[in-house]
Amino acid sequence: MSQNTTLKKISQILDISISTVSRALKNHPDISERTKQKVIELAAALEYEPNAYAINLRTNNSKILGLIVPSISYYFYDTFISSIEEECRKNNYTLLILQSGDDTETEISNIKICRHNRVTGVFACITPNTKDISAFLKLAESEIPLIFFDKVPPYENCNKVCIADAAAAKMAADLIIQKHKKNVLSFFGNKSISITQKRLPAFIEAFEQANTSANLDIDFALSFEEAYEKTLFYLNKKNKPDTIFCMSDEILIGVMKAIQQLQLKVPENIAIVALSNGIMPKWYYPEITYIETSGDKLGRLAFARMMECLSGNIQPQELIIGSMLVEGGSI
Amino acid sequence: MSQNTTLKKISQILDISISTVSRALKNHPDISERTKQKVIELAAALEYEPNAYAINLRTNNSKILGLIVPSISYYFYDTFISSIEEECRKNNYTLLILQSGDDTETEISNIKICRHNRVTGVFACITPNTKDISAFLKLAESEIPLIFFDKVPPYENCNKVCIADAAAAKMAADLIIQKHKKNVLSFFGNKSISITQKRLPAFIEAFEQANTSANLDIDFALSFEEAYEKTLFYLNKKNKPDTIFCMSDEILIGVMKAIQQLQLKVPENIAIVALSNGIMPKWYYPEITYIETSGDKLGRLAFARMMECLSGNIQPQELIIGSMLVEGGSI
DNA sequence: TTGAAAGCGCTAACAT
DNA sequence: ATGTTAGCGCTTTCAA
């Protein structure tokens, strides 16, 4: 029933024109109070629901925002997504969430879905395999505001919203140094993604500047399984690490599995420091000490930037959000 | 640019009528090959993208499916969502994912968003707090197919797609009995949700039927924190359990945190069995033995059922999907 | 084989 | 304060 109530129907019942009904429902000042009331009442009674498609066809404003992300779950994005969702709800936008799953073809297809649904703007976090971002840039050319977040392309001329990757990595390194750790194993993610490219050098530089005698091993893991395998390997060596740094939750999971297997005590036998949005660190005992890379704050910032773009402030900008140390008991 | 290409524009350039262009693009048999080719080429060159809003306004078919779920991440739903997404992509549907976050108001607002965007159908998993499902049922009254999945309401006359909750719980119980466990602690989730109501009695019944001398403790945990606290409590008792059953991933996380804290060896000191979609059990060492409640298969089934509803097979049905034992090393 | 025309539901400029 | 009208982009019936 609510599906069929239209302005026309209301206007016929009330024997007034369609435009009067339209105006009454929008609380237009021209319309008399009496008419307004009649219309609003009837609309409520008939459960009138404006036809979003007609509105968009007419106004060219879908009030849908697209969100393209490698994966919805487990790691960083869930808090980001939740905060964007909340903002959308507050501001009467519909959020269209699309997972690309590390697959560039699906990513392209997701961009098409955004176009097809004529989204008002797009939030995008690129997959580790994304080299060619021309399909994304075309959105921006079509005047669809585009905001990259977290894993962003190495391209200057676009909107980006990132956490302070370098600063966070440095904080982690400084913490480890300050605790006088002597043999540090640090795991980073895919070398070709922006966050690794920012975190890794900052981490190394912090150690160099500290002028410490600590040994620093750097390795990479692209999945939790790989982090697990490699951790086992390192912890079975003669000169085994006293500290492991995990660039991401994914890595943390693998490292912790290996530590469980070897029955090491944290932090007595091995110290752990991670970069995380803070959900998984609480799943372990002792809770993991981490540098918070807040998806929540990042989401709010991205949304605010989107609103700015939509209201005309189009100059590409890169925004950075700070992070902070959250102490668990793992170091 | 692609934003502005319309049938009209193409028709003007080619000096033919709009309807001919429309037909040519749809490969309508009436149109000559020559015309078709010309049109298709030009459309490609101008990056023509059909206006979904105009189509929907005309045809009343949005090809958007809504998915309303308590939470996108961490636990069961991600595999379910991914498989639905894949089916949608294959079948040219857009999936609108909406999180309710255990909040009934947000859930209602999500239903409204579905209506507003005139979705073709809705998949819904209700929150633990949802008592009143009338807003959902109204969708079905408006002839929007509605398929509940996983956590479904206690209401006969609607479509449901569930895992074999009772059978899965029985499998877990049988496994524990067969391993001659003597002191079993079992954690269940919120008593007011359907899956608990199905799993709990089946679990208990399996023990009763087995006529074992084993002691069975039943308790409930609504969050991973609660599972953690309660596990600590039970494991510090004199007569401590030799086995813990976890009804969900959420509970498993809490239980495992307590086990880490107490430095118990799995399965020597304590055995674990869970119900899970299989992602988290692999995060622990030894990997957790679980009864698979496959979100993936459930998603495919739900989608297939949706397509059936859309093609007219509207009789409410409850579909159940089997589960199976996946051995880890935790019992 | 192609074109003309109506209409989906709505908004907004232009009457009155 | 209210009505008339045109048109957003598309599909589809009817006509040629």
Side-chain angles (χ1 to χ4, degrees):
Chain A
M1 50 163 70
S2 91
Q3 294 293 44
N4 316 327
T5 306
T6 64
L7 295 185
K8 192 176 172 185
K9 194 164 166 186
I10 295 177
S11 76
Q12 284 168 344
I13 296 176
L14 259 30
D15 199 29
I16 55 179
S17 78
I18 296 179
S19 30
T20 303
V21 178
S22 173
R23 289 186 190 111
L25 254 16
K26 298 194 135 54
N27 201 19
H28 191 108
D30 276 0
I31 305 297
S32 74
E33 278 308 321
R34 260 194 77 243
T35 311
K36 270 186 200 169
Q37 234 194 317
K38 276 198 310 190
V39 170
I40 289 170
E41 266 173 28
L42 184 58
L46 296 177
E47 300 184 58
Y48 170 72
E49 170 82 38
N51 187 316
Y53 292 89
I55 295 174
N56 180 58
L57 185 58
R58 184 62 231 251
T59 62
N60 238 324
N61 179 6
S62 65
K63 295 218 88 174
I64 297 181
L65 295 175
L67 171 66
I68 301 178
V69 75
S71 162
I72 256 177
S73 52
Y74 291 120
Y75 304 119
F76 175 73
Y77 307 111
D78 54 328
T79 47
F80 181 86
I81 293 174
S82 295
S83 75
I84 294 260
E85 259 186 331
E86 200 184 316
E87 293 295 327
C88 281
R89 210 181 309 281
K90 276 191 214 154
N91 293 274
N92 264 306
Y93 279 87
T94 296
L95 184 65
L96 183 59
I97 303 169
L98 298 159
Q99 292 191 81
S100 305
D102 287 5
D103 176 37
T104 53
E105 270 182 54
T106 309
E107 193 172 49
I108 297 283
S109 138
N110 286 338
I111 297 173
K112 282 202 188 120
I113 292 175
C114 283
R115 274 192 184 285
H116 178 74
N117 289 283
R118 286 184 150 63
V119 297
T120 304
V122 172
F123 301 101
C125 174
I126 62 178
T127 83
N129 308 313
T130 306
K131 305 289 173 240
D132 176 11
I133 58 160
S134 57
F136 280 112
L137 295 180
K138 263 196 177 172
L139 286 173
E141 280 168 29
S142 319
E143 308 201 335
I144 299 173
L146 169 65
I147 296 176
F148 288 107
F149 66 92
D150 198 47
K151 303 196 176 67
V152 302
Y155 177 77
E156 291 284 308
N157 209 19
C158 52
N159 284 296
K160 302 180 195 178
V161 176
C162 303
I163 62 152
D165 290 285
K170 180 171 162 39
M171 281 174 77
D174 287 344
L175 174 66
I176 293 168
I177 293 161
Q178 175 208 320
K179 296 275 185 179
H180 304 295
K181 296 301 177 180
K182 288 297 164 215
N183 199 358
V184 180
L185 169 59
S186 50
F187 280 121
F188 289 83
N190 196 316
K191 281 178 239 184
S192 69
I193 62 178
S194 60
I195 56 173
T196 307
Q197 286 163 5
K198 295 180 203 162
R199 293 172 186 185
L200 177 54
F203 191 83
I204 293 176
E205 198 191 330
F207 269 85
E208 282 170 356
Q209 288 191 347
N211 210 359
T212 152
S213 63
N215 173 51
L216 177 60
D217 274 331
I218 306 278
D219 207 335
F220 300 87
L222 305 189
S223 64
F224 98 86
E225 289 94 342
E226 195 177 348
Y228 164 65
E229 303 283 358
K230 288 195 170 172
T231 304
L232 280 184
F233 169 78
Y234 281 98
L235 290 177
N236 280 324
K237 292 205 318 189
K238 212 165 32 209
N239 181 24
K240 69 179 165 196
D242 56 19
T243 307
I244 303 182
F245 166 76
C246 309
M247 191 198 87
S248 67
D249 281 317
E250 195 169 4
I251 289 171
L252 176 64
I253 292 167
V255 167
M256 291 308 291
K257 182 175 177 179
I259 286 174
Q260 287 165 41
Q261 177 166 352
L262 300 175
Q263 308 228 42
L264 298 177
K265 268 198 97 161
V266 177
E268 291 83 349
N269 301 337
I270 182 91
I272 308 284
V273 177
L275 260 52
S276 170
N277 68 358
I279 293 179
M280 293 195 188
K282 307 229 173 329
W283 290 359
Y284 296 99
Y285 187 91
E287 290 181 3
I288 307 300
T289 295
Y290 65 97
I291 312 296
E292 186 190 54
T293 58
S294 162
D296 191 74
K297 276 185 223 158
L298 197 66
R300 273 171 231 296
L301 185 63
F303 190 88
R305 178 70 194 127
M306 177 66 81
M307 291 302 106
E308 270 182 49
C309 288
L310 254 20
S311 59
N313 175 0
I314 285 204
Q315 300 313 315
Q317 263 183 269
E318 175 161 4
L319 299 175
I320 306 280
I321 211 164
S323 42
M324 64 179 199
L325 172 67
V326 179
E327 304 225 24
S330 66
I331 185 167
Chain B
M1 48 163 70
S2 89
Q3 294 294 44
N4 315 327
T5 306
T6 64
L7 295 185
K8 191 176 174 187
K9 194 165 166 187
I10 295 177
S11 76
Q12 285 169 342
I13 296 176
L14 259 30
D15 200 28
I16 56 180
S17 78
I18 295 178
S19 26
T20 303
V21 177
S22 173
R23 291 185 187 112
L25 253 16
K26 298 195 132 56
N27 201 19
H28 191 107
D30 277 358
I31 305 297
S32 74
E33 279 307 322
R34 261 195 77 241
T35 311
K36 270 186 200 168
Q37 236 194 316
K38 276 198 310 188
V39 170
I40 289 169
E41 267 173 29
L42 184 59
L46 296 178
E47 301 185 58
Y48 170 71
E49 170 82 40
N51 186 316
Y53 292 89
I55 295 174
N56 180 58
L57 185 58
R58 185 59 230 252
T59 63
N60 237 324
N61 179 6
S62 66
K63 296 216 88 174
I64 298 181
L65 296 175
L67 171 67
I68 301 179
V69 74
S71 162
I72 256 178
S73 51
Y74 292 118
Y75 305 119
F76 174 74
Y77 308 110
D78 53 330
T79 50
F80 181 87
I81 293 174
S82 295
S83 75
I84 294 258
E85 260 185 332
E86 200 183 315
E87 294 295 327
C88 282
R89 213 183 306 283
K90 277 191 211 151
N91 293 275
N92 265 308
Y93 279 86
T94 295
L95 183 65
L96 184 58
I97 303 169
L98 299 161
Q99 293 191 79
S100 305
D102 288 5
D103 175 37
T104 53
E105 269 184 53
T106 310
E107 193 172 50
I108 297 282
S109 138
N110 286 337
I111 296 174
K112 281 201 188 122
I113 292 175
C114 283
R115 276 191 183 284
H116 178 74
N117 289 282
R118 286 183 148 62
V119 296
T120 304
V122 171
F123 302 101
C125 173
I126 62 179
T127 82
N129 307 313
T130 306
K131 305 290 172 241
D132 176 12
I133 59 161
S134 58
F136 280 113
L137 296 179
K138 262 196 177 171
L139 286 173
E141 281 168 28
S142 320
E143 308 202 334
I144 300 172
L146 169 65
I147 297 176
F148 288 107
F149 66 94
D150 198 47
K151 302 194 176 69
V152 303
Y155 177 75
E156 291 284 308
N157 208 18
C158 54
N159 284 295
K160 302 180 194 178
V161 176
C162 303
I163 63 153
D165 290 285
K170 179 171 162 40
M171 282 175 77
D174 287 346
L175 174 66
I176 293 167
I177 294 161
Q178 174 207 321
K179 297 274 185 178
H180 303 295
K181 295 301 180 182
K182 288 297 163 216
N183 200 359
V184 180
L185 169 60
S186 50
F187 279 121
F188 289 83
N190 196 316
K191 280 179 239 184
S192 68
I193 63 179
S194 59
I195 57 173
T196 306
Q197 287 163 4
K198 296 181 203 163
R199 293 171 185 184
L200 178 54
F203 191 84
I204 293 176
E205 197 191 330
F207 269 86
E208 281 170 356
Q209 289 192 347
N211 210 359
T212 152
S213 64
N215 173 51
L216 177 60
D217 274 331
I218 306 278
D219 207 334
F220 300 86
L222 305 190
S223 63
F224 96 88
E225 289 94 342
E226 194 178 348
Y228 163 67
E229 304 282 358
K230 288 196 170 171
T231 304
L232 281 185
F233 168 78
Y234 281 98
L235 290 177
N236 280 323
K237 291 205 318 189
K238 212 162 36 206
N239 180 24
K240 67 179 167 196
D242 56 17
T243 306
I244 302 181
F245 167 75
C246 308
M247 191 198 89
S248 67
D249 280 317
E250 195 170 2
I251 290 171
L252 176 63
I253 293 168
V255 168
M256 292 308 291
K257 181 175 178 180
I259 286 175
Q260 287 165 42
Q261 177 167 351
L262 300 175
Q263 307 230 44
L264 297 177
K265 266 197 101 164
V266 176
E268 291 83 349
N269 301 339
I270 183 91
I272 307 284
V273 177
L275 260 52
S276 171
N277 68 359
I279 294 179
M280 292 194 188
K282 306 228 171 335
W283 290 358
Y284 294 98
Y285 187 90
E287 290 180 5
I288 308 301
T289 295
Y290 65 98
I291 313 297
E292 187 192 54
T293 58
S294 163
D296 191 74
K297 277 186 222 157
L298 197 67
R300 273 171 232 298
L301 185 63
F303 190 88
R305 178 69 194 128
M306 178 65 80
M307 292 301 106
E308 270 182 49
C309 289
L310 255 18
S311 59
N313 175 0
I314 285 202
Q315 300 313 315
Q317 264 182 268
E318 175 160 6
L319 300 175
I320 305 280
I321 210 163
S323 43
M324 63 179 200
L325 174 66
V326 179
E327 304 224 25
S330 67
I331 185 168

